[in-house]
Amino acid sequence: MNVLIDKFDVFAGGFWLTLQLCLLAAIGALILGAIVAVLRISPVPPLRALGTSYVNVFRNMPLTVVMFFAAFGLPALGSNADFLRIPVVDSLFKRLGTDLPYFRFALIALVLYTAAFVCEALRSGVNAVPAGQAEAARSLGLTFGQNLRYVVLPQSWKASIVPLGSVIIAMIKNSALAGFFGVVGDLSASADQLTGAEGYAFVPVAIGISIGYLIMTVPLGALLDRIEKRQAVAR
Amino acid sequence: MSQQTSVLYDVPGPRQRRITLISSIVAGLVLLVGAYFLIYRPLDDKGQLSMELWGPLIDPSNENFSQVWDRIGLGFKNTLIAAALAIVASLILGTLLAVLRIQLKSLTRLRFTGMATPLAYLLRGLSTLLSALTRVCVEVFRGLPVVLTIFFVARGFPEFGLYLDNLWYLIIGLTIYNSVVIGEILRSGMEGLPGGQAEAAAAIGLSPAQSTRMILLPQAFRIMLPALISQLVVVLKDTSLGFIISYEETLNIGKQIIGVLGNPIQVYVVIAVLFIVVNYSLSKLAQYVQRRLAKGRKTAGTPAQNPPPAALMSQAEGTGGI
């Protein structure tokens, strides 16, 4: 069990890096997912088709393939995802600014993949609003925008918070894949490094790494359970 | 108007239809131009559209064509084998887990009257402990990334002197995660059933075990069938993690092909299309089953069952996995 104490900085650093990746990916996925959701409920057929095909493509493709595209396809096109080095953000999140591009590749893959699920979660929230309410709003003479702003969105936000939360939990777990795609020093890469190259005993390392992920996923899951129970009572 | 938009719009009148038509044309043109400049041009500039790179994948007269597709076929067969074995194993284990958790929960409510007091307390404590233990197991295995479960299995088993084929490491890793998820799906299906059913079963003299087996479980399977089919998509996608432990599934074969031919983008496009086609048809099947079940329920005149928790359903819709 010594490895847990001796290499505490490795575990802590891995946790920190994974957390950074997840935070950035969550922000990106929420923004992109919201855009795709707007496309999917927009009245213009080509935009709707674009949103639908985005969701169908990314939802049915393994994240592994998306990661491969990001990690090998982008360099083949001559890009190392420099556009992600946003001046202020990259000083807060050092990994974005460093020259090793794999962190940015993994981030792109996670955002692209998760956005499809975020879109579906948001859309399920819009669909959860009873049709009668929107009809009532329309018969009162509210325009499409007013209908969205005052009637549908406030309620759909509430209905989609639980599915959104489980999407984020899934994304945290999916971020483990980044370590196998060249992101150095996150939790899963540390597991490989410690048990493989440095030859530490397997069980304590596995426990340490698992705790790192469980700290992020289990409390979030418990929180969602509570929110869901409260909503069920309120209904 | 399609179903999901009906909440927000009226049936469009002539003016609205004209506006929609015009904005459709504009948006379509913008999309085409965008696709040309953002996708086609960069690919063409880097020579990624040349027949040299695509030929082995789409040109039957290419010398490598049959060999490449033989390999991809083999990889896809391996993917399907792993997915099929993993889903069968997780269905069996998940059912057992769901039944176990339901039984334990009802045991903890039992007071064991008529037994010696210490024994009764012991039994109550034991059932509470076991119930908590299964809960912890569920939380832990559900909270861990599947990648790591597979990785831990592949690294850990040899450490304890258990050497298996890579296929089995992959299946065990997938089964650990998915049996827990399926178990929770089935459990919530059983708990969502109207309470009167279990009471009726008890009234005609069925034991709790019998009522679970004969009444609750079959219905839970029926309600949760769409979710279970969607879980198949998740498993199919998750098998692609086999490349980490060098199991020869589709992606791993793709990597080998790239090693020889040097065309990463093209090979991954083909593999992605393969996955998308299969998984898309599976999710369509799930939707179809869901619609049929909904119709059947309505005509049978049974009261609407509680919909399964949103979190579980969305997990079953494929966010749970990779």
Side-chain angles (χ1 to χ4, degrees), chain A residues 33-118:
Chain A
I35 295 173
V36 179
V38 170
L39 287 183
R40 278 204 80 170
I41 60 173
S42 81
V44 185
L47 295 182
R48 221 159 47 211
L50 179 70
T52 312
S53 40
Y54 181 92
V55 170
N56 280 334
V57 163
F58 281 97
R59 221 160 60 136
N60 291 314
M61 187 152 87
L63 174 62
T64 331
V65 177
V66 188
M67 286 255 179
F68 269 119
F69 268 123
F72 299 110
L74 283 177
L77 290 179
S79 164
N80 62 352
D82 264 339
F83 55 86
L84 280 181
R85 292 194 204 167
I86 307 156
V88 181
V89 180
D90 88 334
S91 61
L92 283 175
F93 297 92
K94 292 203 182 62
R95 280 287 175 148
L96 276 179
T98 49
D99 271 334
L100 216 58
Y102 285 107
F103 183 83
R104 299 194 291 272
F105 291 154
L107 185 58
I108 291 176
L110 268 179
V111 167
L112 285 179
Y113 181 77
T114 314
F117 296 96
V118 169

Side-chain angles (χ1 to χ4, degrees), chain A residues 59 117 120-121 124 160 162-167 170 224, chain B residues 227 230-231 234 308-321:
Chain A
R59 221 160 60 136
F117 296 96
E120 289 304 273
S124 78
S160 55
V162 172
L164 264 185
S166 45
V167 167
L224 284 183
Chain B
S230 309
Q231 194 60 26
V234 174
L312 261 172
M313 280 311 277
S314 62
Q315 189 169 42
E317 269 158 23
T319 57

Side-chain angles (χ1 to χ4, degrees), chain B residues 114-240:
Chain B
M115 289 182 202
T117 317
L119 189 67
Y121 272 115
L122 185 75
L123 283 176
R124 273 200 88 177
L126 203 67
S127 56
T128 314
L129 185 75
L130 276 177
S131 180
L133 209 68
T134 50
R135 175 93 207 267
V136 169
C137 277
V138 166
E139 290 297 342
V140 166
F141 290 129
R142 209 166 50 162
L144 275 184
V146 205
V147 208
L148 279 189
T149 320
I150 295 169
F151 176 75
F152 286 160
V153 167
R155 268 288 160 79
F157 275 33
E159 197 116 328
F160 297 107
L162 218 69
Y163 293 95
L164 295 172
D165 210 33
N166 279 334
L167 168 68
W168 295 108
Y169 293 143
L170 179 63
I171 290 173
I172 293 171
L174 287 176
T175 303
I176 289 175
Y177 175 78
N178 287 294
S179 58
V180 168
V181 172
I182 288 180
E184 288 299 278
I185 291 176
L186 288 177
R187 191 180 63 88
S188 79
M190 285 196 258
E191 284 181 349
L193 289 175
Q197 301 220 354
E199 283 164 23
I204 59 168
L206 294 184
S207 71
Q210 277 175 321
S211 83
T212 309
R213 184 165 52 88
M214 294 161 62
I215 293 175
L216 299 182
L217 202 55
Q219 294 192 71
F221 266 114
R222 187 171 157 270
I223 303 173
M224 291 306 185
L225 196 59
L228 292 175
I229 297 176
S230 309
Q231 194 60 26
L232 196 59
V233 173
V234 174
V235 176
L236 209 57
K237 290 200 297 181
D238 283 354
T239 52
S240 67

Side-chain angles (χ1 to χ4, degrees), chain B residues 205-282:
Chain B
L206 294 184
S207 71
Q210 277 175 321
S211 83
T212 309
R213 184 165 52 88
M214 294 161 62
I215 293 175
L216 299 182
L217 202 55
Q219 294 192 71
F221 266 114
R222 187 171 157 270
I223 303 173
M224 291 306 185
L225 196 59
L228 292 175
I229 297 176
S230 309
Q231 194 60 26
L232 196 59
V233 173
V234 174
V235 176
L236 209 57
K237 290 200 297 181
D238 283 354
T239 52
S240 67
L241 299 173
F243 89 97
I244 287 168
I245 55 171
S246 53
Y247 172 63
E248 284 219 315
E249 46 70 57
T250 320
L251 265 186
N252 207 356
I253 298 254
K255 235 164 73 177
Q256 294 165 8
I257 294 174
I258 291 162
V260 179
L261 297 175
N263 50 352
I265 293 185
Q266 291 72 13
V267 170
Y268 288 131
V269 165
V270 167
I271 291 177
V273 169
L274 257 176
F275 269 106
I276 290 168
V277 167
V278 173
N279 287 338
Y280 184 71
S281 2
L282 274 178

Side-chain angles (χ1 to χ4, degrees), chain A residues 208-221:
Chain A
I209 300 292
S210 305
I211 289 174
Y213 280 105
L214 294 178
I215 287 176
M216 288 184 270
T217 52
V218 172
L220 208 53

